[in-house]
Amino acid sequence: MKKTFVLFFVLLITGTLFCQSFHVSKIEPGNWWAGMKHNKIQLMIYGENLSNYKASFNTSRIKVEKIYNLANKNYSFIDISISRTISPGDYKIVFSKGKNKIQIDYPIHKRESASGKYQGFNSQDIVYLIVPDRFADGDTSNNKIEGMINDFKPGDPLARHGGDLQGIINHLNYFNNLGVTSLWLTPVLENNHNISYHGYAATNLYKIDPRLGTNELYKRLVNDAHKDGLKIIFDHVNNHISTNHPWVKNLPTPDWFNGTQENHINAWHDKAVRWDIHGEQITSEHLTKGWFVNDMADLNQDNPFVKNYLIENTIWWIEYSGIDGIREDTYPYISPKFSAEWAKEVLNEYPTFNIVGEVWTGEPAFLAPYQKDSKLNTGLNTNLPVITDFALRDAYDGYLSGKSGLYNIYNVLAKDYLYQNPNELLTFVDNHDMPRAMFRADRNVDKVKLVFTHLLTSRGIPEIFYGTEIGMVGNKEDGVIRSNFRGGFPGDSSSAFTYNGRTQKENELFSFFKKLIEIRKKYKSLSEGKLNHLAPIENVYIYTKKYKNETMLILLNGDNSAKEIDGNIIESVCGKSPKLLDVMNNTQQKIINGKLPLQSMSANILLVE
């Protein structure tokens, strides 16, 4: 009897000690910075048996405000406040539970100089969109990483091809030669997920995908780009993560996601429902609570822990890397209240920063309310400065494909009264989610030149998709649309990065883009000027851009036949007997016998002297 009692007592004590033991495996964010406006942060603690513990720092400058015990003891959260007078240094957070203590380093870094960082982007910029996996392979050693899904299959359009951050760094001179000013890279965070070379299925929100590089290499890319006068735009995703993310198999809280992998609703891809005054609540819920696709878990931003995590993660990346802007993916599918607070927090910390939200709808009336201070949105101010102009893109596509003429382009711009600031729209002809311009134009180079002339001389912030400047064609399939840039990969027979490596047709198109960008930079009326236009007649679109004493006259003839423009029309918008300099060709254009001749399918940029 005594032996049984002693054994029971030993087991009881051992069990009690085991229950009291705990383990901390990770803290996110893993550091912060001294002197931040955002100095009250919430730490996410990962480990085992994380309940009923105490925590403190080895400095009075960091105060633990609250510890949250969760039903899932693999996670906990701690609210801390960091004194604005704290000195940078290596501090420690001390966890204790009973007699057990754990000490973990928690660095508070010194903020680097903000000079040349967080610059934002505006209508003076030309954004160049890159899918890193398909641009250039600068480090072949990281094409396969132990412990990660091996989908390196260069011949498969839906697999990884090996492009990486080093490849982009190696070709910074190419961007300067072309003349673009900002690089938008599709997401670069860890995507340990099948068919996610594109980057939109994150499995770690604090780590660059090892097949692209490291956190340190990404920071180097930003620094090197800044030295070369280039800005970096970070493609960010608040809406969803990969179903391979550890959270999916081990939920921090039951409502961490909107539904579960086994039981969820699908998103209705109709952004109009946000502003539909007749819409049923279920319709709105399908937009913000539905899963975008089944293998991307929909984050519940209305959960306060998720909300804080995403805001702090965003600020962490901006501060760590020094990026200049964010392109926010699938913007309408995110909780509106969260998105407004997220943008406010980011722009409060970085007033010169900028954010563009992806709103995929071709209706200006549905696009406009997403922009901050919108006259059409009297409810919650989105605080979102820039939105994607899919309406203009659709009009471009209609012209390229032959479904419509230039009037549709004019018609979209005629609705600019709906926007709070039409110059704060990201404008584009094609991107990584849709067929390329050359494919839609059936390889008609003149059509492509015409729409890009409009893109770079109209209002807004223009974006060019990588390879468009050399006439990459592709087809309707995502993996082929995002084909490799020739010359960036081992075994390529020639390099489109160089004049000698490009074909004659590629050099012709490259030279056109380079010249057009130079003209845009030289004449501020093209990027900052006031737009005035005439309704197109016979597929001829006439408009002016005016800035201070500078006036540009742009004439687009989208017809297959030559035209003659009545000189009275020209004089009505440019003044009597104007002198007209064709800035692309440096030649004088004259009104002859009361007419200004236009070649078929031509774009003319004329400086009014």
Side-chain angles (χ1 to χ4, degrees):
M1 187 73 175
K2 287 184 178 181
K3 289 182 178 179
T4 303
F5 178 80
V6 170
L7 178 61
F8 174 79
F9 183 76
V10 170
L11 289 172
L12 178 65
I13 295 298
T14 304
T16 301
L17 289 174
F18 178 78
C19 289
Q20 288 180 342
S21 66
F22 66 104
H23 174 64
V24 176
S25 58
K26 183 169 65 171
I27 300 175
E28 291 177 333
N31 73 277
W32 208 245
W33 290 267
M36 300 281 284
K37 294 179 187 176
H38 195 98
N39 68 329
K40 296 182 185 298
I41 64 174
Q42 188 171 84
L43 304 178
M44 185 171 187
I45 314 298
Y46 299 72
E48 297 174 2
N49 202 22
L50 296 173
S51 64
N52 301 315
Y53 64 86
K54 296 179 181 179
S56 61
F57 283 82
N58 64 339
T59 173
S60 60
R61 301 290 184 182
I62 307 177
K63 183 179 179 182
V64 173
E65 302 286 355
K66 187 173 181 178
I67 298 173
Y68 298 87
N69 294 311
L70 306 180
N72 185 346
K73 294 179 175 53
N74 293 134
Y75 304 96
S76 180
F77 292 90
I78 302 176
D79 289 343
I80 66 172
S81 58
I82 302 171
S83 170
R84 298 193 187 280
T85 61
I86 195 171
S87 298
D90 293 326
Y91 297 97
K92 295 183 183 298
I93 180 170
V94 181
F95 299 87
S96 61
K97 187 174 182 179
K99 294 183 179 180
N100 297 324
K101 286 190 177 182
I102 300 173
Q103 274 197 155
I104 294 181
D105 291 336
Y106 198 83
I108 300 296
H109 293 321
K110 180 181 179 180
R111 298 186 74 179
E112 297 178 3
S113 170
S115 177
K117 299 177 181 177
Y118 330 125
Q119 301 171 83
F121 52 89
N122 54 45
S123 62
Q124 297 180 55
D125 286 298
I126 300 99
V127 178
Y128 189 82
L129 166 59
I130 300 170
V131 179
D133 179 67
R134 304 299 171 87
F135 192 69
D137 187 355
D139 181 3
T140 57
S141 69
N142 63 16
N143 289 339
K144 299 178 183 179
I145 297 292
E146 186 176 352
M148 300 194 75
I149 293 172
N150 178 21
D151 59 347
F152 176 66
K153 301 173 184 175
D156 185 346
L158 296 180
R160 290 185 179 270
H161 291 186
D164 49 32
L165 299 180
Q166 188 61 54
I168 296 171
I169 292 172
N170 292 348
H171 294 288
L172 290 177
N173 62 328
Y174 175 79
F175 309 124
N176 277 322
N177 186 27
L178 178 59
V180 296
T181 65
S182 304
L183 306 181
W184 157 21
L185 281 59
T186 57
V188 293
L189 297 182
E190 180 190 278
N191 270 237
N192 196 17
H193 185 102
N194 281 314
I195 313 179
S196 70
Y197 65 90
H198 46 69
Y200 291 99
T203 52
N204 188 328
L205 298 181
Y206 278 95
K207 183 181 180 182
I208 297 296
D209 194 294
R211 292 160 296 190
L212 296 177
T214 62
N215 288 15
E216 293 77 15
L217 188 63
Y218 182 73
K219 185 173 182 177
R220 182 189 153 196
L221 165 64
V222 176
N223 288 337
D224 287 359
H226 286 166
K227 289 176 183 177
D228 278 5
L230 294 163
K231 301 174 182 179
I232 298 291
I233 298 172
F234 186 87
D235 203 334
H236 187 265
V237 188
N238 276 322
N239 183 63
H240 55 263
I241 57 173
S242 166
T243 48
N244 280 351
H245 193 291
W247 289 338
V248 176
K249 303 301 181 188
N250 188 10
L251 285 172
T253 65
D255 62 343
W256 196 258
F257 301 111
N258 291 310
T260 66
Q261 190 170 8
E262 298 76 23
N263 183 22
H264 61 266
I265 60 175
N266 294 317
W268 288 352
H269 293 230
D270 190 346
K271 279 65 68 178
V273 302
R274 178 66 56 80
W275 318 114
D276 182 3
I277 62 173
H278 308 295
E280 291 283 358
Q281 180 66 26
I282 188 174
T283 308
S284 179
E285 288 181 356
H286 269 269
L287 182 68
T288 58
K289 296 184 181 298
W291 286 36
F292 191 69
V293 293
N294 289 333
D295 59 352
M296 294 182 185
D298 192 76
L299 289 164
N300 176 18
Q301 300 89 16
D302 292 327
N303 176 313
F305 298 123
V306 175
K307 179 196 77 171
N308 291 333
Y309 184 99
L310 293 173
I311 290 173
E312 286 161 8
N313 175 259
T314 306
I315 292 174
W316 189 93
W317 274 110
I318 298 170
E319 186 67 25
Y320 171 79
S321 63
I323 53 176
D324 303 291
I326 280 175
R327 178 266 188 183
E328 186 59 33
D329 185 60
T330 53
Y331 185 84
Y333 300 93
I334 309 164
S335 163
K337 184 178 179 181
F338 162 80
S339 290
E341 184 175 349
W342 170 79
K344 183 178 180 180
E345 288 286 344
V346 168
L347 296 173
N348 178 59
E349 190 73 56
Y350 307 98
T352 59
F353 201 74
N354 206 353
I355 304 170
V356 53
E358 181 203 25
V359 183
W360 194 334
T361 177
E363 294 282 350
F366 298 144
L367 277 169
Y370 285 100
Q371 193 173 39
K372 73 172 184 177
D373 301 328
S374 171
K375 302 180 287 288
L376 301 180
N377 179 6
T378 57
L380 181 69
N381 193 333
T382 65
N383 300 313
L384 180 67
V386 183
I387 50 179
T388 49
D389 193 352
F390 274 90
L392 185 56
R393 177 267 159 193
D394 287 354
Y396 287 145
D397 186 73
Y399 173 73
L400 289 172
S401 63
K403 293 180 180 178
S404 59
L406 298 182
Y407 185 87
N408 279 15
I409 296 174
Y410 157 83
N411 190 48
V412 168
L413 296 178
K415 298 173 184 175
D416 275 359
Y417 66 91
L418 295 169
Y419 297 105
Q420 177 63 23
N421 186 350
N423 221 32
E424 288 283 283
L425 300 176
L426 186 73
T427 56
F428 57 101
V429 178
D430 52 5
N431 69 15
H432 60 304
D433 285 325
M434 56 194 55
R436 288 179 172 272
M438 195 63 76
F439 176 81
R440 296 299 286 160
D442 196 22
R443 300 176 186 262
N444 187 321
V445 175
D446 290 333
K447 273 192 170 184
V448 171
K449 286 182 177 180
L450 190 146
V451 295
F452 276 97
T453 297
H454 185 269
L455 179 79
L456 288 161
T457 61
S458 186
R459 53 87 171 129
I461 306 166
E463 168 253 299
I464 299 170
F465 185 32
Y466 82 97
T468 297
E469 74 279 11
I470 57 170
M472 285 177 62
V473 180
N475 60 25
K476 293 182 179 180
E477 300 172 13
D478 283 350
V480 181
I481 290 167
R482 306 158 186 170
S483 293
N484 290 1
F485 193 97
R486 194 179 75 256
F489 297 83
D492 286 351
S493 58
S494 60
S495 174
F497 289 110
T498 66
Y499 179 87
N500 290 333
R502 293 189 287 266
T503 66
Q504 182 178 347
K505 288 184 177 180
E506 288 173 340
N507 273 320
E508 176 192 339
L509 198 56
F510 182 91
S511 297
F512 163 79
F513 273 93
K514 179 179 173 66
K515 181 66 174 179
L516 187 55
I517 291 170
E518 287 175 355
I519 294 299
R520 180 182 173 85
K521 289 180 177 180
K522 181 176 180 180
Y523 298 101
K524 283 197 170 185
S525 58
L526 296 177
S527 60
E528 299 182 63
K530 184 180 185 303
L531 170 66
N532 292 291
H533 61 180
L534 301 175
I537 299 175
E538 296 182 355
N539 219 16
V540 174
Y541 186 16
I542 301 172
Y543 56 98
T544 60
K545 295 291 293 295
K546 297 181 180 180
Y547 180 81
K548 296 182 179 179
N549 296 323
E550 181 181 284
T551 299
M552 281 287 184
L553 171 66
I554 299 95
L555 304 102
L556 306 179
N557 180 10
D559 205 66
N560 285 318
S561 60
K563 304 288 183 181
E564 288 186 327
I565 307 302
D566 190 329
N568 292 326
I569 294 176
I570 303 299
E571 290 187 346
S572 71
V573 295
C574 297
K576 192 168 181 61
S577 302
K579 292 183 179 180
L580 304 173
L581 175 66
D582 184 328
V583 294
M584 287 290 283
N585 300 303
N586 196 30
T587 57
Q588 292 291 331
Q589 298 294 308
K590 295 181 180 180
I591 298 174
I592 303 173
N593 298 324
K595 303 289 184 180
L596 182 67
L598 295 180
Q599 294 181 2
S600 63
M601 204 73 70
S602 64
N604 307 269
I605 309 172
L606 308 178
L607 175 65
V608 181
E609 297 181 311

